[in-house]
Amino acid sequence: MNSEAAARLKAAVGPKGFTEDQAEIAPHLEEWRSKYKGRAALLLKPATTAEVSAILSICNETTTPVVPQAGNTGLVGGQIPFDNEILLSLSRLNRIRRLDAVDASMIAEAGVILAAAQRAADDSGLMLPLSLAAEGSCTIGGTLSTNAGGLNVLRYGMAREQVLGIEAVLADGRVLNLLRTLRKDNTGYDLKQLFIGAEGTLGIVTAAALKLFPKPAMRCTAFVAVPSIDAAVGLLARLQAATGGLVNAFEILPRSGLELVLAYIPGTSDPFAASSPWYALAEVSGAAALKDVFEGALEGALSNGLTGDAVIAASEAQRAALWMLRESMSEAQKKEGPSLKHDVSVPVAAVADFVAKATAAVSAALPGARPVPFGHLGDGNIHFNIQAARGADMASFLARWDEIARVVHDVVRDFGGSFSAEHGIGVMKRADLKRYKSEVEIDLMRALKRTLDPKNILNPGKLVPE
Ligand code: ZN
């Protein structure tokens, strides 16, 4: 970075808006799995959209690359500056600019923590359904820039489906203000969508208008023993039919996954006396009367032999305990040792076949390795994670990540699935993008990148293949 550009950038944000203190920058250079580590000499912390605009206009003029970073919870290295780029944190853009309960919308700045946005919606008697494991530290800007998924996608859609409008700063510093809260606006290209899931490569999201929803009077959560993935898919169909589509989450984990949770996560216990090959976690929400419908559907599934035992949460504490079994999966896996992770999706009806074929393919390539597939069955999104064989050498196990990813992703392709269901591309899956997307798709992505960021200053080296 040239020193003249650095001086201008520092002047643009003022003394509170930057740091060169490596101790302060260090936590921004490594992601939580310690898979990626970067370097940066200058961290900018603008407090307003105007400051972001000034930064990008200087960066563009001086061809100074910049890596935007939100809560640093990304899983594919998209937020890490690998080449001493300027690191741009949006954490000081943290105001909720407007919340309109009648309009059922909220305008929040990029640095607002997702959990804070959820609380603000809740305080107004409404609900922001975006919800994911990292919600205590991820932010609105990062959540939208990566089009995060999470736990309520089945009912409310991915992040992009919950957005009414966007404010983004373009590479040349111009501010694109699309902060409308209209439900109907059929006026040509839907430009806001360009910046959602773009991982900061086409512009920097500085604020968003989000849809809010009525808060359900109650929610009902069950943990159900199921003999197979297909039985779980059958249960989901029954619950959707019985409730008129009011299932908000439908998750699955295998016995091996539950055992890891029980072994490593304090305070967890097996809800059932007998073990089961698979478990589903189902949650519905709506009017109070829905509880009887939900319980009736579960009883019907049990008496038909579709499922084994079920436990229904009778209190908020029990609900939290059931969710903990599912949400602790990543942490429990981490404690067991390194794992090869794959965030894939296939059509819901094909999940059972996919898991069988992928397990066979991985076992052939990596004898003794232990696949622990779990995730959002309702969305067809499986986290196909693989623990090393017991006693295996970890370095040589991890060295095979790319090779095994190809084995898994080739099976995904055979099912018409996606090699990145909710984690994005970053640096980790750029080669996959090239391998699995059509030439036409890649040409269009490159054309968009050239048009919106001709000097390639926005998060270079991420997402778009070389
Ligand atoms: Zn997930």
Side-chain angles (χ1 to χ4, degrees):
M1 186 204 335
N2 77 55
S3 55
E4 188 223 318
R8 287 177 63 191
L9 288 166
K10 288 188 257 182
V13 289
K16 277 194 198 155
F18 72 90
T19 180
E20 293 167 297
D21 176 355
Q22 276 301 312
E24 207 181 314
I25 295 175
H28 296 272
L29 300 179
E30 194 167 357
E31 39 83 91
W32 70 280
R33 289 187 306 189
S34 309
K35 187 171 165 61
Y36 298 105
K37 198 163 170 38
R39 64 198 178 93
L42 177 59
L43 169 65
L44 295 178
K45 300 181 286 183
T48 62
T49 301
E51 287 183 359
V52 178
S53 163
I55 289 167
L56 290 194
S57 108
I58 295 165
C59 286
N60 197 51
E61 192 193 316
T62 57
T63 319
T64 304
V66 52
V67 174
Q69 188 179 93
N72 195 13
T73 61
L75 295 167
V76 290
Q79 75 275 31
I80 302 296
F82 289 99
D83 201 18
N84 195 23
E85 295 96 336
I86 300 281
L87 192 55
L88 179 64
S89 165
L90 283 301
S91 59
R92 289 174 74 216
L93 272 88
N94 60 0
R95 292 179 311 132
I96 290 173
R97 292 185 193 167
R98 196 171 84 209
L99 196 156
D100 186 331
V102 176
D103 191 47
S105 67
M106 170 198 291
I107 294 180
E109 292 185 338
V112 173
I113 303 283
L114 178 54
Q118 293 166 346
R119 275 196 302 277
D122 190 70
D123 290 346
S124 74
L126 293 166
M127 179 182 67
L128 176 66
L130 258 179
S131 174
L132 48 150
E135 65 198 19
S137 39
C138 71
T139 67
I140 295 299
T143 305
L144 300 190
S145 290
T146 58
N147 185 31
L151 302 172
N152 286 325
V153 174
L154 178 60
R155 176 122 161 229
Y156 298 98
M158 298 279 279
R160 72 165 74 250
E161 290 161 77
Q162 302 181 38
V163 176
L164 295 165
I166 281 278
E167 177 188 83
V169 179
L170 304 183
D172 60 11
R174 281 181 296 166
V175 177
L176 177 67
N177 185 340
L178 304 170
L179 283 177
R180 303 171 191 123
T181 60
L182 304 171
R183 260 55 180 189
K184 300 185 85 168
D185 178 15
N186 208 0
T187 52
Y189 300 147
D190 191 354
L191 295 175
K192 68 177 180 288
Q193 292 295 348
L194 280 177
F195 302 91
I196 306 174
E199 302 180 17
T201 62
L202 299 180
I204 310 260
V205 173
T206 47
L210 302 165
K211 281 182 208 172
L212 303 179
F213 291 81
K215 211 185 320 189
M218 70 100 218
R219 45 187 183 195
C220 220
T221 309
F223 198 80
V224 189
V226 285
S228 65
I229 297 176
D230 274 336
V233 171
L235 174 64
L236 171 60
R238 271 175 166 262
L239 293 175
Q240 290 287 42
T243 62
L246 299 181
V247 180
N248 26 298
F250 197 90
E251 305 282 311
I252 191 166
L253 63 159
R255 177 70 198 175
S256 58
L258 183 64
E259 279 173 4
L260 292 179
V261 170
L262 298 175
Y264 292 111
I265 308 298
T268 56
S269 62
D270 192 333
F272 308 116
S275 94
S276 165
W278 293 92
Y279 301 92
L281 191 156
E283 185 167 281
V284 299
S285 63
L290 191 63
K291 188 168 185 286
D292 290 343
V293 176
F294 182 58
E295 290 179 3
L298 284 172
E299 269 164 31
L302 176 64
S303 59
N304 279 359
L306 184 63
T307 70
D309 276 346
V311 47
I312 298 173
S315 66
E316 197 50 40
Q318 280 182 18
R319 173 182 180 267
L322 295 179
W323 267 108
M324 194 186 213
L325 298 174
R326 160 64 186 87
E327 289 201 287
S328 304
M329 277 297 310
S330 296
E331 198 188 331
Q333 286 195 310
K334 197 176 179 183
K335 293 202 161 129
E336 173 75 356
S339 56
L340 309 181
K341 295 175 187 289
H342 308 89
D343 163 43
V344 303
S345 66
V346 296
V348 175
V351 171
D353 273 356
F354 161 73
V355 168
K357 289 218 165 70
T359 299
V362 166
S363 300
L366 209 56
R370 296 168 289 157
V372 187
F374 68 95
H376 320 289
L377 179 62
D379 315 325
N381 176 194
I382 297 300
H383 296 306
F384 196 86
N385 294 356
I386 304 162
Q387 303 283 154
R390 285 201 177 79
D393 174 63
M394 288 309 158
S396 48
F397 171 70
L398 286 173
R400 299 187 65 187
W401 191 315
D402 289 348
E403 175 205 342
I404 300 302
R406 178 168 288 198
V407 168
V408 173
H409 293 164
D410 281 356
V411 179
V412 169
R413 176 176 56 190
D414 294 344
F415 284 91
S418 169
F419 63 89
S420 189
E422 61 175 0
H423 293 171
I425 303 298
V427 285
M428 186 178 170
K429 296 186 178 172
R430 227 155 55 117
D432 293 289
L433 193 85
K434 203 164 175 188
R435 179 173 168 86
Y436 298 108
K437 289 273 182 185
S438 68
E439 243 174 79
V440 180
E441 285 171 286
I442 288 172
D443 279 354
L444 279 175
M445 286 188 189
R446 286 179 173 145
L448 284 168
K449 175 70 175 169
R450 276 196 303 273
T451 301
L452 284 163
D453 181 21
K455 292 186 164 180
N456 193 27
I457 60 160
L458 292 174
N459 216 1
K462 315 289 169 55
L463 201 163
V464 189
E466 295 289 2

